[in-house]
Amino acid sequence: MSVAVENFVKAIYNNENHDIADTKPGNIASKLGISNAAATDMAKKLDAKGLLNYEKYQALRLTKEGEKMALNVIRKHRLWEALLHQMFDMSLHEIHREAELLEHETSDFLTEKISEYLGHPKFDPHGDPIPNADGEITTKDTSIALINAEENTEYIVSRLMSTDKEFFEFCALNGIKYGNKIAVKKQFQNSKMTQITINSNTIVLNQDFTQIIYVNEIN
Amino acid sequence: MSVAVENFVKAIYNNENHDIADTKPGNIASKLGISNAAATDMAKKLDAKGLLNYEKYQALRLTKEGEKMALNVIRKHRLWEALLHQMFDMSLHEIHREAELLEHETSDFLTEKISEYLGHPKFDPHGDPIPNADGEITTKDTSIALINAEENTEYIVSRLMSTDKEFFEFCALNGIKYGNKIAVKKQFQNSKMTQITINSNTIVLNQDFTQIIYVNEIN
DNA sequence: ATTAATTTTTAAGTATGCTTAAAAATTTTT
DNA sequence: AAAAATTTTTAAGCATACTTAAAAATTAAT
């Protein structure tokens, strides 16, 4: 399907699920930077294609098929963001800009290669969940505060749930970064301290930090 | 510029420089899988845009600007091939297919990131030269047979100039692969044997092999 | 509950990048 | 050098994805 169609269903999906606005043509139009007339036009065409249900003056509702297409594009977008962030150390703003273009020209084959390379991450660097190849969102990462490993166990950093500058500086200094591997071990049972190892560098963190560092199991 | 335009100037460039066929509309059309009429049509439009010179019934000739656009797209294509081949171990056929799509949706910014990551390679995995950011092709790789290093010196494998299956199997077994780092040292002066080290694994090769393994200096 | 403001829809029109069919020019064959 | 074959061009037409302008419906304000 075309770039215009993919972006259209993606915009509806995001409005339906995350963003504030409803999914009437006007909101989709302003999100995509096109005229209201163009959005109504497209809505009729996609209704005919079975991707959404269009009824005059009503909000647009994606069909199962339309939602599947949206999730497929979102999966590609978020995997590109993850890859570009990890490999090239690009900023959150930069990876978004590039992923917005690449997402439409990426085969399912290449998408799986990227996912595999990254260890099938469940979240992108923004902390948004990455749908799996079947378009399901299975959010199962945990904060390392909740990990009870007696021995060192390896995980992949999935998100850093903070807006605190000092926390991010600390993370940068210690290699705690989206996609990186860290070994986690509860320092003492009953303790609130957790020991983590990154690149053979071991540090001990207290709850303030362990509660906001999220990881995925390595599968 | 659009995907159609980029592919059009790329096809002309390749016909002008590498392929057998001339650049009359018919040849470009069949290369792109469009009708002759469409090619003539496009040729007139691109003449008006200053990307090529169109004269009735004559071969199409790219202007400086058109050639620059073609080389920019070709650079992106070959860098993607290099990256996908090295990172995901994709076949030459697969990387070509993906690069054909990605090349049109890759910013110059991301292109430089990829080039940098790969150590600014001069050749892609097919052995085709990668134009630099200014659109210049500066082919300066050398076969390791010509390297006279007394001490171990590091290089990046740029191409394997062979069609021999056993040679490729030998390379695969020893990690001699496009984009990989190898250390080269002339085993004895006046000898035809060359010592190479890949991943702390040292082997000695004779001229049969050293003449067809090409490398670039690490910059 | 009207009126006013906003949104949605319809209608007409445009640029891009194709198509097929037929006319015109070129190239090849004899 | 003519005839035949091929290629190129022109012409008309189509789908996609937009635009602006005006009409119709909905939503918000008094």
Side-chain angles (χ1 to χ4, degrees):
Chain A
M1 211 57 62
S2 72
V3 173
V5 170
E6 288 185 352
N7 280 331
F8 202 85
V9 296
K10 191 178 71 163
I12 296 173
Y13 180 89
N14 282 327
N15 269 20
E16 275 179 346
N17 293 278
H18 307 291
D19 302 340
I20 355 79
D22 68 39
T23 62
K24 285 183 181 166
N27 281 320
I28 304 305
S30 67
K31 179 170 259 184
L32 296 175
I34 61 178
S35 68
N36 287 8
T40 299
D41 224 61
M42 181 63 97
K44 287 181 187 170
K45 282 182 194 163
L46 299 195
D47 179 282
K49 287 203 166 114
L51 293 170
L52 54 80
N53 294 124
Y54 170 73
E55 285 177 74
K56 273 190 180 186
Y57 303 105
Q58 303 303 306
L60 307 174
R61 288 169 302 111
L62 289 180
T63 61
K64 267 270 157 287
E65 201 191 334
E67 183 173 297
K68 197 174 173 189
M69 180 184 287
L71 285 162
N72 185 259
V73 177
I74 289 169
R75 169 172 171 76
K76 288 169 183 176
H77 179 100
R78 294 182 181 164
L79 281 170
W80 271 119
E81 289 198 331
L83 188 76
L84 298 179
H85 186 62
Q86 195 189 325
M87 288 196 49
F88 302 133
D89 232 335
M90 285 163 59
S91 74
L92 295 185
H93 173 256
E94 288 162 350
I95 61 178
H96 178 79
R97 189 189 58 200
E98 304 292 341
E100 206 67 25
L101 299 174
L102 297 172
E103 64 185 9
H104 306 293
E105 304 301 334
T106 310
S107 69
D108 289 344
F109 175 81
L110 177 55
T111 304
E112 295 327 301
K113 291 280 183 184
I114 296 172
S115 181
E116 196 182 316
Y117 177 85
L118 294 169
H120 300 297
K122 296 272 197 311
F123 295 88
D124 73 12
H126 295 280
D128 293 319
I130 300 174
N132 68 20
D134 295 323
E136 295 155 350
I137 293 177
T138 59
T139 55
K140 288 184 306 196
D141 64 344
T142 46
S143 80
I144 61 178
L146 299 176
I147 292 173
N148 254 320
E150 290 183 31
E151 291 305 315
N152 264 335
T153 313
E154 289 192 324
Y155 295 88
I156 302 279
V157 176
S158 61
R159 32 176 181 166
L160 304 172
M161 293 298 283
S162 172
T163 53
D164 182 44
K165 195 175 159 232
E166 277 183 42
F167 171 70
F168 279 114
E169 283 167 0
F170 171 83
C171 289
L173 203 64
N174 288 283
I176 302 170
K177 186 184 138 181
Y178 173 85
N180 276 186
K181 196 182 284 184
I182 67 174
V184 179
K185 178 188 172 186
K186 193 95 190 206
Q187 202 188 13
F188 304 106
Q189 294 309 113
N190 310 319
S191 155
K192 287 181 174 171
M193 309 298 276
T194 303
Q195 176 193 304
I196 70 175
T197 306
I198 314 120
N199 304 327
S200 9
N201 183 21
T202 298
I203 50 181
V204 176
L205 303 176
N206 75 11
Q207 249 184 359
D208 290 350
F209 279 12
T210 58
Q211 284 179 338
I212 56 180
I213 299 173
Y214 280 70
V215 294
N216 278 132
E217 286 175 30
I218 296 179
N219 191 357
Chain B
M1 212 57 61
S2 73
V3 173
V5 171
E6 288 186 351
N7 280 331
F8 202 86
V9 295
K10 191 178 71 162
I12 295 172
Y13 181 88
N14 283 327
N15 269 19
E16 275 181 345
N17 292 280
H18 307 293
D19 302 339
I20 355 81
D22 67 40
T23 61
K24 285 183 182 167
N27 281 320
I28 305 304
S30 68
K31 178 170 259 182
L32 296 174
I34 60 178
S35 68
N36 287 9
T40 299
D41 223 60
M42 180 64 96
K44 286 182 188 170
K45 282 180 193 164
L46 299 195
D47 180 283
K49 284 200 168 118
L51 294 170
L52 53 79
N53 294 123
Y54 170 74
E55 284 176 77
K56 273 191 178 185
Y57 303 105
Q58 302 303 306
L60 307 174
R61 288 169 301 111
L62 289 180
T63 61
K64 266 272 158 287
E65 201 191 335
E67 183 174 296
K68 197 174 173 187
M69 179 184 287
L71 285 162
N72 186 260
V73 176
I74 289 168
R75 169 172 170 77
K76 287 169 184 176
H77 180 99
R78 294 183 180 164
L79 281 170
W80 272 120
E81 289 198 331
L83 188 75
L84 297 178
H85 186 61
Q86 196 189 324
M87 288 197 48
F88 303 133
D89 233 334
M90 287 164 58
S91 74
L92 295 185
H93 173 255
E94 288 163 350
I95 61 177
H96 179 78
R97 189 190 58 200
E98 304 291 342
E100 206 67 26
L101 299 174
L102 297 172
E103 64 185 12
H104 306 293
E105 305 302 334
T106 310
S107 70
D108 289 344
F109 176 82
L110 177 54
T111 304
E112 295 327 302
K113 292 280 184 185
I114 296 171
S115 182
E116 196 182 318
Y117 177 86
L118 294 170
H120 300 297
K122 296 272 197 312
F123 295 88
D124 75 12
H126 296 280
D128 292 319
I130 300 174
N132 69 20
D134 295 323
E136 294 156 349
I137 295 177
T138 59
T139 55
K140 287 184 307 197
D141 63 345
T142 45
S143 80
I144 61 178
L146 298 177
I147 293 173
N148 254 318
E150 290 182 31
E151 292 305 316
N152 264 333
T153 313
E154 289 192 323
Y155 296 88
I156 302 279
V157 176
S158 60
R159 32 175 182 167
L160 304 172
M161 294 297 284
S162 173
T163 53
D164 183 43
K165 194 172 159 237
E166 277 183 44
F167 171 69
F168 279 115
E169 282 166 1
F170 171 83
C171 288
L173 202 66
N174 288 281
I176 301 171
K177 186 184 139 182
Y178 174 85
N180 276 185
K181 196 182 283 184
I182 66 174
V184 179
K185 178 187 170 186
K186 194 96 191 208
Q187 200 187 17
F188 304 107
Q189 293 309 112
N190 310 321
S191 155
K192 284 180 177 173
M193 309 299 275
T194 302
Q195 175 193 304
I196 72 175
T197 306
I198 314 119
N199 303 327
S200 5
N201 184 22
T202 297
I203 51 182
V204 176
L205 304 175
N206 74 13
Q207 248 184 3
D208 289 351
F209 279 11
T210 58
Q211 282 179 340
I212 57 180
I213 299 173
Y214 279 71
V215 294
N216 276 132
E217 287 176 32
I218 295 179
N219 185 6

